Amino acid sequence: MELNINGKPVPVDADPTMPLLWVLRDALNLTGTKFGCGIAACGACTVHVDGQAVRSCVLPVSAVAGKSIRTIESLGTADKPHALQAAWIAEQVPQCGYCQSGMLMAAAALLESKPHPTDADIDAAMSNICRCGTYQRVRAAIHRAADTPATTATGAAA
């Protein structure tokens, strides 16, 4: 089957029932998406499918054929970070860092749907678990990214 990952067509030879997470990590070596719990509870495996934040650990790869898949690898670069990545650093969000790729992808989906979210919007959208408990910093970073001038929700200059 062929998948559309980070804007590119990618041929994949995998069992259609294999979770998308394992196709990304093991077949395609896109290891930024993390395995956390395997039951879609923690959010470490969050990616975007057609612009929606989804938990890839329980999503069969056959369910995403023909859909647009976006992983953390496409969010930004060291030279040109996404507004969220810059805000994450400025607010010192990462502690152990394990949940961060999933958190960033959930936050990016939120900002794409609500460019200026309220605290309630953030609390509703950010169901990812952070074992270090940096939830207040996450909220501050999302607000900072939303308030970044000359930036769109995708992090590109306007």
Side-chain angles (χ1 to χ4, degrees), residues 16-126:
T17 63
M18 179 182 281
L20 175 60
L21 171 65
W22 299 120
V23 171
L24 293 171
R25 289 185 60 80
D26 294 349
L28 302 176
N29 202 32
L30 294 170
T31 57
T33 305
K34 305 298 183 198
F35 173 79
C37 66
I39 59 171
C42 76
C45 66
T46 302
V47 298
H48 295 182
V49 175
D50 286 344
Q52 300 296 312
V54 299
R55 310 284 168 93
S56 64
C57 69
V58 295
L59 185 64
V61 69
S62 61
V64 297
K67 297 182 179 183
S68 175
I69 302 160
R70 187 173 178 207
T71 69
I72 190 70
E73 285 85 358
S74 74
L75 196 60
T77 65
D79 293 336
K80 195 169 191 171
H82 186 282
L84 279 166
Q85 292 168 317
W88 241 240
I89 293 166
E91 295 294 338
Q92 299 181 3
V93 174
Q95 296 298 305
C96 81
Y98 198 81
C99 68
Q100 297 309 301
S101 61
M103 286 272 202
L104 283 161
M105 293 306 286
L110 169 63
L111 289 181
E112 287 170 13
S113 67
K114 293 188 179 196
H116 296 282
T118 64
D119 284 348
D121 294 332
I122 293 169
D123 293 346
M126 299 302 295

